[in-house]
Amino acid sequence: MLRFHLKMIKRNFLKDKKFLFNNILGLTLAFTAILFIYSWITYEKSFDKFYENSSRIHRFTVEFADAGSSRHFARVNTSWIKEFPGFFPEVEEMVRLVPGRNSSLKINNNKFYSQGVFSTDSNFFNAFNVKLIQGNANAVLDAPKCAVINQSIAKKYFGNENPIGKQIDWAHQQVPDFSTFTVTGIMPDFPKNSHFHPEILLSLDDPSQFAQWNYLYLLLKENTKPEAIQAKFSSFKNTYIEDEKSRESLVFHLQNVQDIHLYSHKDREIELNGDVRSITVLSIVAIVLLVVITLNYINFQIASVLERNTYFNVSKTFGAKRKSFVAQLALESVILIFISSIVSLGIYMLALPVVANWLNIDLILSTQTTLVIYLLALLFFVFLGVGCSIYPVFMSKMNGTISSLRIFNSGKSTSTDFSVRRVLVILQFVGGIGLIIATTVIIKQNQYLLSSRIGNEQDNIINLIKLPRKAIDNYEILKTELLKYPEILDVTATMEEPAGEVMDAFSYELEGMPEEDKDKVIYVLTTDDNFNRFYGNEIVAGEDFSENGDNTTKYLINEAGLKFFGYTNPNEIIGKRFKYNIPLPEKFFKEGYIAGVINDFHISTMQSSEKPMLLYNQPFFNYCVGIKYDPKRTSDVLVTLQNAWTKVNPDFALQHHFIDDLYFKLYKNQIRQSRFLILLAVVVLFISSLGLFSIAVYGIRKRTKEIGIRKVNGAKTGEVIVLLNQTFVKWVIISFVIAAPIAWFAMNKWLESFAYKTEISWWIFVGAGLFIFAIALITVSQQSFKAARRNPVEALRYE
Amino acid sequence: MIQLKKIDKYYDAKFQRTFVLKGVNLDIEQGEFISIMGPSGSGKSTLLNIIGFLDEPSQGEYLFLGDPANKLKEKQKVQYHRSHIGFIFQAFHLIEELNVYENIETPLVYRGVKGKERKALVADMLDRFNIVAKKDLFPSQLSGGQQQLVAIARAIIGKPKLLLADEPTGNLHSEQGEMIMKLLKKLNDEGMTIIQVTHSKENAEYGDRIITLKDGYVREK
Ligand SMILES: Nc1ncnc2c1ncn2[C@@H]1O[C@H](COP(=O)(O)OP(=O)(O)OP(=O)(O)O)[C@@H](O)[C@H]1O
Ligand SMILES: [Mg+2]
């Protein structure tokens, strides 16, 4: 009997090779896509889970809830944290990670920059449970001026030499002069799915000093809940923070290290984090995909059972049991799923390196997970396959056996099955259209984010960012040197680079300000005097900095700041006296007046709205240099830049960034997401088309006789095609009518989380509709053309 | 063997009930050869379907081998289909996916006949119906008459105790038709109970009894 079933399955497969191929192709694509989505989600969720102690490591952060504004930094700089271990017995280890922002390094005559240099406490390796490759984890950072480097740095700069005992020189913004460290250990490279990637860890010069900005990690004792510490925060504040006002405005937070990547969007994160929203979006796509492939499969299965109606019913008259049909259909499903699984696994393996590279992530699923996914898929689709086979098989029982024989032959009540399948196809298309619209909106939004820069002048700019102190001091010399060359068009400098974050805010005194505003803070961005001209910012009112006069009393404010100060008319604020309360010598920020209002240029991510800020011309803090060049001479520019730099700053390496790259980095998660979404939308669309194709073929096949008779009676080929296409076209229109409002609503919801949104334009809908329409028309027409051209004798043969 | 008592069969449309069979009483003994005649739409096929458990009467009682049909378990019906009843359908109902040889073989597969024996039996059938050359063709590649021959071969290969034949010779040349009728007669002589539907007076004469259906009523000659 099994042999007989296998024979029937084989016959059925071979009879409809097209469908077999379609079905396997659809399943394979869906499985592959789901594997990738699952890998992506797994990867995003895997961050910082690799420490043995992950669940016990927490990061401490402080929120400054001043009147009117609230800032939540990922790092802290208060000295009372040194009391933590004494005050909270639950803390087993406390580790500070002091970032050496864009450190300058010299190793063996190599000069380079690194974002991965941190000064840290000697218990770092114990707390994070990092096994060293060389060196004793307990002692490597015990003494001052010790360094632990990672494997890549060791390999790159020491080659085959043993780095232990060798020297490296280090300097950065706050530490202008190079100081020498001795390598005492080698640590492994941190995995991609870590929220930070130290390349070099240095010992602190004086661990008892607590005033530096640092990321603070607490390793809690085993079986201790973070809540235990949180409950004692207020008594800690009462004990160690004297000023009542700051006690009130400080909110303490503990955050598990595993939550940082997906859930932390604080100011000055160590690295750019991911976003849990991307997981939501992908999960929705996965569900749409699953629904579409399921509908497709049901559709296929019902059609294929109906096609074999005679076989099933006649076999029954020989005494075949229903069970045996179900067994045969189940076996058929298993075979289909098995083939698709194997193929998709193969594709997954082959495509993995390419896709992972393209999306810039590690997408490795464990064999175990893969197996589980396949088992689930197998169960799911076998049940589904059997389920939608049972339906027509058992339907015959209710109607009395023979009626099903005649019903299916008369083609009358098949219309009910046809309508079930019609609903299935329509739903698939709803998914397809919805996804096209959603993907287009997401891409458009990402394009919008990417294309919006500081001002209007955004091309052909090279940025030198986070420069060392000495290079900042040499800025005017560098500028003069660079401007000697014709290929350099202009040079400017700012505190933050394009795509950077403006982070420094201070309280102020503004002429005529209300009393209750005196604790409010406003951000400051220092710039060179030509900043606005350089980037093409608009002066809305008043005047810009003067490029050859004295600017020391001039403050420019952006429109967000204008609003922040409570002004609506920009002209009214011009000339108002202004003074920052900055704990710095008076020479850095002089008392002055508001000289001009500029538009809200976008220096940081457009996911949040522009901060109210003031521009001030103070070269001391201009860590970043912008260089505008002649695009026709790009290759000369880099040579010129290198020569000028080496002449002015011989001690430091030159590291340049094209402005596009800076923004790409800022939006790298959005870009990855768009890319993945495009890929998935194509897959869903393709599967929907396969579904439509199948139903078109089946539907037309069912009408073969009708077509034949119409042609015998004189219908023209064109007329027949129109007749056949009509139905399908109707379906597409219905799908569109259902999908468009849903997509519109969902995308509005999605866009709500962005401060700056693209428009959901009408052309997206028209485009998506036309696109699907075209696909449907091509798919169906090809079939109807074939049917319409066929010789009617063939169709009417022995019917 | 078969007792039909006051069998009604009707279909309910929206506002009216159409009777196909009305108060049909019929007794058929084992070994009989019955011919059913009657105009188109008089319910002949419907009657055969009820007898063969493919359809159920709306009213009345049907006893098969003494057991009421409506009390028969699904399992028992399957068993009867496997061992007792053979069908020749008016519309042939050959299985499209199977070739001639396999179509004829199928009832034996369900009966659980061993492969070797099946081969011999099918070969014999092919030979008897002169379609050896066609054994690898699929139904769509056969002429109407050839399809009918295959359908007949398929119905009788399992030597059912009851053969229900709905116009078995409708598409055949008269000589071939005569051959089939002679074959049926021979099978009847060997003990097979046969109920055939026919439009031909001549063929009807092969039967022991002729039953005429008209507007759902039975008139026996
Ligand atoms: N599912 C149904 N719904 C309504 N009427 C039906 C249905 N099935 C059969 N009939 C009707 O029952 C009547 C008898 O049909 P049946 O097939 O038994 O006729 P027949 O005597 O075999 O005719 P023919 O000689 O043409 O084969 C017909 O009038 C037919 O329209
Ligand atoms: Mg009939």
Side-chain angles (χ1 to χ4, degrees):
Chain A
M1 209 66 212
L2 180 69
R3 274 239 304 278
F4 181 71
H5 282 321
L6 285 173
K7 183 170 78 186
M8 285 313 295
I9 291 171
K10 195 177 110 193
R11 283 290 159 75
N12 185 47
F13 281 166
L14 290 182
K15 183 176 131 213
D16 280 332
K17 284 196 212 81
K18 235 184 316 197
F19 293 124
L20 176 71
F21 180 74
N22 278 1
N23 212 1
I24 290 182
L25 186 63
L27 286 170
T28 304
L29 278 174
F31 284 172
T32 315
I34 284 171
L35 272 182
F36 275 114
I37 294 179
Y38 192 80
S39 310
W40 169 296
I41 293 177
T42 313
Y43 170 74
E44 286 289 305
K45 286 189 157 176
S46 72
F47 271 68
D48 298 291
K49 289 211 164 43
F50 53 87
Y51 306 112
E52 252 168 63
N53 306 330
S54 291
S55 61
R56 287 162 55 205
I57 304 176
H58 295 263
R59 188 169 73 175
F60 175 81
T61 60
V62 180
E63 189 180 346
F64 297 86
D66 300 315
S69 75
S70 147
R71 285 175 305 152
H72 193 164
F73 285 97
R75 49 185 204 185
V76 291
N77 74 335
T78 45
S79 56
W80 38 254
I81 56 169
K82 68 168 176 274
E83 311 294 346
F84 275 5
F87 193 85
F88 301 110
E90 295 87 352
V91 173
E92 186 172 312
E93 304 276 1
M94 179 166 96
V95 185
R96 285 169 293 169
L97 211 52
V98 181
R101 218 178 162 215
N102 206 33
S103 296
S104 307
L105 291 145
K106 284 197 279 193
I107 298 179
N108 278 348
N109 294 326
N110 291 303
K111 286 175 278 181
F112 63 100
Y113 293 95
S114 164
Q115 306 295 337
V117 180
F118 299 90
S119 307
T120 189
D121 286 300
S122 60
N123 60 351
F124 175 89
F125 301 104
N126 268 337
F128 281 91
N129 211 302
V130 176
K131 310 261 177 307
L132 290 188
I133 294 166
Q134 279 196 57
N136 173 1
N138 292 315
V140 275
L141 294 178
D142 272 356
K145 302 283 180 228
C146 288
V148 174
I149 60 178
N150 78 355
Q151 246 178 325
S152 300
I153 294 282
K155 208 159 168 197
K156 189 164 172 195
Y157 295 104
F158 293 102
N160 294 327
E161 283 176 81
N162 183 359
I164 303 290
K166 298 270 168 20
Q167 308 216 307
I168 59 182
D169 293 323
W170 171 75
H172 78 122
Q173 279 169 12
Q174 269 77 46
V175 184
D177 294 309
F178 279 100
S179 54
T180 304
F181 289 74
T182 308
V183 178
T184 52
I186 300 176
M187 62 182 168
D189 288 4
F190 274 47
K192 253 193 185 147
N193 53 356
S194 166
H195 77 283
F196 71 114
H197 298 87
E199 291 183 323
I200 299 173
L201 289 175
L202 307 173
S203 52
L204 291 158
D205 279 349
D206 177 4
S208 64
Q209 282 294 319
F210 271 80
Q212 280 170 300
W213 280 107
N214 65 87
Y215 299 96
L216 188 70
Y217 296 87
L218 304 175
L219 173 69
L220 304 191
K221 289 200 175 124
E222 251 166 282
N223 302 321
T224 307
K225 293 219 161 66
E227 289 83 9
I229 293 183
Q230 280 159 344
K232 284 188 260 181
F233 275 160
S234 63
S235 76
F236 179 90
K237 281 196 254 180
N238 291 335
T239 315
Y240 291 104
I241 302 171
E242 275 165 29
D243 176 37
E244 193 187 335
K245 201 124 113 260
S246 49
R247 224 184 288 157
E248 265 168 32
S249 66
L250 296 183
V251 186
F252 290 5
H253 292 270
L254 271 190
Q255 172 180 43
N256 185 271
V257 71
Q258 300 166 86
D259 294 335
I260 292 178
H261 176 70
L262 282 181
Y263 300 98
S264 193
H265 305 286
K266 305 185 174 32
D267 293 332
R268 296 275 191 235
E269 292 282 356
I270 301 191
E271 289 178 16
L272 182 67
N273 286 329
D275 189 341
V276 72
R277 274 179 304 182
S278 76
I279 291 188
T280 316
V281 168
L282 279 177
S283 306
I284 291 173
V285 174
I287 289 168
V288 171
L289 187 69
L290 210 59
V291 168
V292 166
I293 188 65
T294 303
L295 296 178
N296 209 27
Y297 192 72
I298 293 177
N299 211 340
F300 176 86
Q301 201 69 2
I302 290 181
S304 128
V305 169
L306 290 181
E307 284 268 301
R308 281 176 284 170
N309 177 57
T310 318
Y311 158 67
F312 288 132
N313 283 297
V314 171
S315 299
K316 258 187 269 174
T317 71
F318 303 144
K321 293 189 185 119
R322 290 197 177 92
K323 253 193 288 187
S324 77
F325 298 136
V326 173
Q328 184 182 322
L329 290 164
L331 191 61
E332 203 175 284
S333 294
V334 172
I335 293 172
L336 267 183
I337 302 288
F338 187 73
I339 296 172
S340 313
S341 305
I342 297 288
V343 177
S344 66
L345 196 59
I347 296 177
Y348 174 75
M349 304 281 216
L350 285 178
L352 188 66
V354 183
V355 176
N357 183 39
W358 191 49
L359 301 175
N360 189 27
I361 50 178
D362 276 340
L363 289 177
I364 311 299
L365 276 192
S366 68
T367 328
Q368 215 179 335
T369 320
T370 319
L371 261 177
V372 169
I373 293 181
Y374 276 117
L375 276 178
L376 285 178
L378 192 71
L379 277 179
F380 180 69
F381 280 99
V382 168
F383 269 114
L384 198 69
V386 175
C388 29
S389 318
I390 285 177
Y391 158 69
V393 169
F394 274 83
M395 202 171 71
S396 52
K397 184 174 183 178
M398 292 185 285
N399 295 351
T401 327
I402 196 64
S403 39
S404 57
L405 254 185
R406 57 176 335 140
I407 280 169
F408 292 146
N409 288 337
S410 71
K412 183 174 162 261
S413 94
T414 38
S415 61
T416 56
D417 301 295
F418 207 56
S419 67
V420 169
R421 289 158 56 200
R422 180 166 51 199
V423 170
L424 298 182
V425 173
I426 289 176
L427 283 179
Q428 279 185 51
F429 269 86
V430 169
I433 295 173
L435 214 58
I436 293 186
I437 295 173
T439 310
T440 317
V441 172
I442 292 176
I443 292 168
K444 190 161 172 264
Q445 171 68 8
N446 289 340
Q447 270 328 102
Y448 174 67
L449 294 181
L450 259 177
S451 65
S452 310
R453 307 280 169 84
I454 300 181
N456 303 314
E457 297 284 331
Q458 42 187 265
D459 296 326
N460 312 316
I461 293 173
I462 290 176
N463 288 91
L464 314 178
I465 67 174
K466 301 189 179 90
L467 293 179
R469 179 76 258 157
K470 295 218 159 136
I472 298 166
D473 295 342
N474 289 336
Y475 166 67
E476 285 301 335
I477 309 171
L478 180 70
K479 182 173 176 179
T480 317
E481 181 66 26
L482 281 171
L483 287 174
K484 284 181 190 160
Y485 299 89
E487 57 266 34
I488 307 291
L489 304 178
D490 205 355
V491 177
T492 193
T494 54
M495 186 149 124
E496 300 291 339
E497 73 273 16
E501 291 172 275
V502 178
M503 278 301 140
D504 298 279
F506 306 98
S507 63
Y508 58 88
E509 286 162 33
L510 176 71
E511 183 184 338
M513 73 193 270
E515 174 64 22
E516 67 264 25
D517 280 2
K518 73 176 175 29
D519 290 326
K520 278 169 107 180
V521 294
I522 187 162
Y523 291 89
V524 66
L525 177 73
T526 64
T527 67
D528 196 359
D529 51 24
N530 63 351
F531 172 81
N532 290 315
R533 184 174 52 76
F534 185 95
Y535 283 109
N537 293 333
E538 250 175 81
I539 307 294
V540 178
E543 52 173 32
D544 199 353
F545 295 125
S546 116
E547 288 189 36
N548 36 32
D550 177 36
N551 289 316
T552 51
T553 56
K554 285 185 191 163
Y555 288 88
L556 303 186
I557 188 165
N558 68 354
E559 287 176 301
L562 189 72
K563 214 169 2 130
F564 179 80
F565 283 150
Y567 285 82
T568 43
N569 181 351
N571 293 312
E572 280 174 13
I573 202 170
I574 304 299
K576 290 273 180 325
R577 264 188 302 108
F578 181 85
K579 177 175 176 286
Y580 257 130
N581 298 321
I582 298 185
L584 283 174
E586 159 78 21
K587 65 167 182 172
F588 285 111
F589 291 91
K590 289 207 168 117
E591 182 170 348
Y593 66 101
I594 305 290
V597 179
I598 46 173
N599 68 318
D600 283 335
F601 56 91
H602 304 291
I603 189 160
S604 314
T605 173
M606 297 236 300
Q607 267 165 289
S608 39
S609 42
E610 251 359 287
K611 292 172 173 167
M613 69 173 91
L614 288 162
L615 301 194
Y616 186 66
N617 179 15
Q618 171 49 272
F620 187 83
F621 299 107
N622 289 343
Y623 299 111
C624 304
V625 173
I627 299 158
K628 200 178 289 174
Y629 60 89
D630 184 348
K632 286 182 230 108
R633 307 174 67 171
T634 313
S635 53
D636 299 344
V637 171
L638 293 178
V639 178
T640 307
L641 180 58
Q642 182 66 57
N643 291 340
W645 176 269
T646 317
K647 197 165 159 193
V648 179
N649 298 307
D651 265 352
F652 299 94
L654 170 71
Q655 191 181 34
H656 68 273
H657 302 267
F658 289 96
I659 194 167
D660 284 345
D661 296 337
L662 290 176
Y663 280 104
F664 258 81
K665 235 183 167 153
L666 178 65
Y667 296 117
K668 78 169 193 234
N669 288 328
Q670 279 83 358
I671 293 168
R672 283 188 330 180
Q673 196 193 20
S674 313
R675 286 180 172 178
F676 202 19
L677 282 177
I678 296 172
L679 206 65
L680 293 172
V682 168
V683 168
V684 171
L685 215 60
F686 189 75
I687 294 173
S688 310
S689 309
L690 288 180
L692 182 73
F693 176 80
S694 305
I695 199 166
V697 173
Y698 278 129
I700 289 170
R701 212 187 257 178
K702 195 141 277 150
R703 295 173 75 175
T704 309
K705 193 172 167 189
E706 180 198 333
I707 298 166
I709 293 166
R710 279 179 194 274
K711 286 195 69 177
V712 168
N713 286 306
K716 281 190 232 122
T717 305
E719 286 164 347
V720 174
I721 292 178
V722 169
L723 179 84
L724 291 174
N725 284 358
Q726 258 172 5
T727 350
F728 299 108
V729 164
K730 214 163 59 196
W731 297 356
V732 173
I733 293 172
I734 295 172
S735 316
F736 180 78
V737 169
I738 300 173
I742 298 177
W744 186 83
F745 181 78
M747 290 333 285
N748 262 319
K749 211 81 224 121
W750 181 77
L751 281 175
E752 268 173 23
S753 63
F754 293 90
Y756 295 91
K757 321 180 208 314
T758 184
E759 248 177 90
I760 305 185
S761 323
W762 58 270
W763 60 258
I764 297 177
F765 291 85
V766 174
L770 285 180
F771 186 64
I772 291 273
F773 193 75
I775 288 184
L777 216 56
I778 292 167
T779 317
V780 176
S781 295
Q782 185 201 356
Q783 289 308 312
S784 33
F785 183 71
K786 241 182 12 207
R789 285 289 298 270
R790 198 169 23 199
N791 190 338
V793 174
E794 259 175 77
L796 295 174
R797 205 166 167 242
Y798 310 124
E799 282 274 342
Chain B
M1 186 184 208
I2 290 163
Q3 285 172 291
L4 299 174
K5 292 178 185 165
K6 289 196 187 152
I7 293 289
D8 283 355
K9 178 71 185 179
Y10 49 77
Y11 292 102
D12 284 328
K14 247 184 200 141
F15 299 109
Q16 76 192 58
R17 176 169 283 188
T18 332
F19 278 87
V20 178
L21 296 173
K22 246 188 237 162
V24 172
N25 291 307
L26 198 57
D27 264 337
I28 297 168
E29 293 301 321
Q30 189 122 25
E32 274 197 282
F33 190 154
I34 309 280
S35 299
I36 300 177
M37 297 191 74
S40 261
S42 57
K44 304 181 297 292
S45 299
T46 308
L47 185 61
L48 280 196
N49 289 338
I50 290 175
I51 293 173
F53 306 124
L54 300 181
D55 206 347
E56 279 151 19
S58 317
Q59 286 285 312
E61 200 178 11
Y62 166 32
L63 301 177
F64 185 76
L65 293 172
D67 299 322
N70 58 347
K71 296 254 167 65
L72 282 180
K73 294 237 167 60
E74 183 68 26
K75 217 170 170 182
Q76 187 59 47
K77 285 187 190 167
V78 165
Q79 210 43 53
Y80 281 144
H81 281 144
R82 285 196 181 176
S83 54
H84 281 65
I85 306 173
F87 286 95
I88 302 169
F89 293 103
Q90 192 172 7
F92 315 145
H93 290 327
L94 296 179
I95 298 171
E96 294 291 322
E97 294 86 350
L98 297 178
N99 63 25
V100 168
Y101 182 98
E102 292 159 342
N103 258 293
I104 298 175
E105 184 191 30
T106 312
L108 300 180
V109 174
Y110 284 104
R111 270 191 175 197
V113 176
K114 292 252 155 47
K116 227 187 226 151
E117 203 183 330
R118 287 207 304 256
K119 228 180 206 160
L121 285 170
V122 177
D124 180 47
M125 275 299 154
L126 291 169
D127 192 39
R128 193 186 292 190
F129 287 93
N130 235 333
I131 44 176
V132 179
K134 307 281 175 195
K135 76 177 180 19
D136 293 324
L137 296 185
F138 285 86
S140 60
Q141 298 166 311
L142 297 177
S143 75
Q146 287 165 339
Q147 289 185 31
Q148 186 151 33
L149 286 179
V150 174
I152 296 169
R154 184 180 67 177
I156 62 172
I157 191 166
K159 290 259 157 58
K161 298 199 168 51
L162 172 65
L163 177 68
L164 301 170
D166 203 343
E167 293 196 50
T169 60
N171 283 280
L172 299 180
H173 179 256
S174 59
E175 250 171 59
Q176 270 174 315
E178 202 183 311
M179 189 274 273
I180 295 295
M181 288 319 297
K182 285 198 171 129
L183 174 65
L184 292 187
K185 187 70 202 158
K186 190 170 152 261
L187 289 169
N188 176 242
D189 289 343
E190 287 168 9
M192 191 183 285
T193 311
I194 297 176
I195 306 175
Q196 71 155 340
V197 169
T198 180
H199 285 296
S200 134
K201 199 108 204 159
E202 210 176 304
N203 287 346
E205 296 296 345
Y206 280 88
D208 309 330
R209 269 203 284 164
I210 296 175
I211 291 161
T212 308
L213 270 179
K214 194 149 188 274
D215 301 330
Y217 293 101
V218 174
R219 232 160 281 154
E220 209 165 331
K221 268 190 205 164

